[in-house]
Amino acid sequence: MTETARQIALDAADLGIEKGDVLFVHSSLRSLGGATPQDVIDGLLSALGEDGTLVLPALSYMHCNPNQRCFDYNCTPSNVGALPEYFRTQVKGVVRSINPTHSCCALGKNAEYITSGHILDKTPCGENSPFRRLKNLGGKILFLGCGMRPNTSMHAVEELSQPDYLFGDSYEYQITDSKGNSQTLICAAHNFKGVEQRYERLADLLQGDELRVGNILSANCHLVKTIPMWEKADKKYREEPHYFIDLSQEN
């Protein structure tokens, strides 16, 4: 492990990441000032320890969508940055959930549980998705230099109350699993046309150690506990369904 990776592990621990945590990471690799993807993964895995689980998004909605309805576990790339794609393709032992648009990759103690049920859902972020299972395990979400707006777990919270802007049509996809077996899957699409997501407003609802702010290397980071996030965000959606969005000029 490099000195950069060791510093990442120390900074992550100072921020509140603990041994045995289940950690979901949204990231901007550029914000870390020259750290390599391997440095970041090695540092976070060190902070989590042998009993921890690391989860990254492998969202593929730019490659698999209503106009291109084929998802391949092994071959369909993610479109959410360099670190998730490195994790998916280069880190030994990583497993991926199966969903045409909102899959996730995981490594560690709870990786199979986190990823194994996603294929059962008929929505992108349903009750068997990694996002729900992250909450079930009392996990944490790290926003690594990217701010709190790119919070895919909030889509899972939205699916509880289903605000009027959330869902579009359902589509049939051709799914190929890790062993090359194929099947069809019908899954609804999210529809955010005319809507700007404002999930950073979650910060105003969290208190104390529910949200911790600090630095990992040069990256400004936010660490969120999922259970209070879900409870408070779901309550807010039911009170004010449009609290976490702005209507754009398209609408």
Side-chain angles (χ1 to χ4, degrees), residues 113 117-118 120-133 136 156 159-160 230:
Y113 169 72
H118 208 176
L120 303 174
D121 287 337
K122 305 300 182 185
T123 63
C125 306
E127 63 178 335
N128 299 293
S129 70
F131 312 101
R132 179 75 68 94
R133 292 186 173 188
N136 293 347
E159 287 195 12
L160 298 178
W230 275 69

Side-chain angles (χ1 to χ4, degrees), residues 74-87:
N74 293 309
C75 298
T76 301
S78 62
N79 53 251
V80 283
L83 188 63
E85 190 64 355
Y86 175 86
F87 187 62

Side-chain angles (χ1 to χ4, degrees), residues 157-215:
V157 183
E158 285 169 314
E159 287 195 12
L160 298 178
S161 58
Q162 300 185 15
D164 56 6
Y165 57 82
L166 181 60
F167 284 118
D169 295 330
S170 292
Y171 299 93
E172 184 176 281
Y173 295 88
Q174 188 73 21
I175 303 295
T176 303
D177 67 19
S178 61
K179 298 179 180 179
N181 301 312
S182 295
Q183 68 180 82
T184 59
L185 174 68
I186 296 175
C187 189
H190 286 161
N191 175 26
F192 288 94
K193 184 178 181 181
V195 167
E196 181 183 2
Q197 300 163 15
R198 298 297 305 273
Y199 300 133
E200 74 276 12
R201 291 172 180 165
L202 177 68
D204 294 332
L205 305 181
L206 300 175
Q207 299 177 333
D209 68 355
E210 296 170 353
L211 168 63
R212 299 186 65 165
V213 181
N215 273 44

Side-chain angles (χ1 to χ4, degrees), residues 40 63 150 188 236:
V40 180
H63 308 288
K236 197 66 176 177

Side-chain angles (χ1 to χ4, degrees), residues 40-59:
V40 180
I41 298 302
D42 286 350
L44 292 176
L45 288 174
S46 178
L48 293 169
E50 292 183 359
D51 290 330
T53 307
L54 181 61
V55 190
L56 272 72
L59 279 58

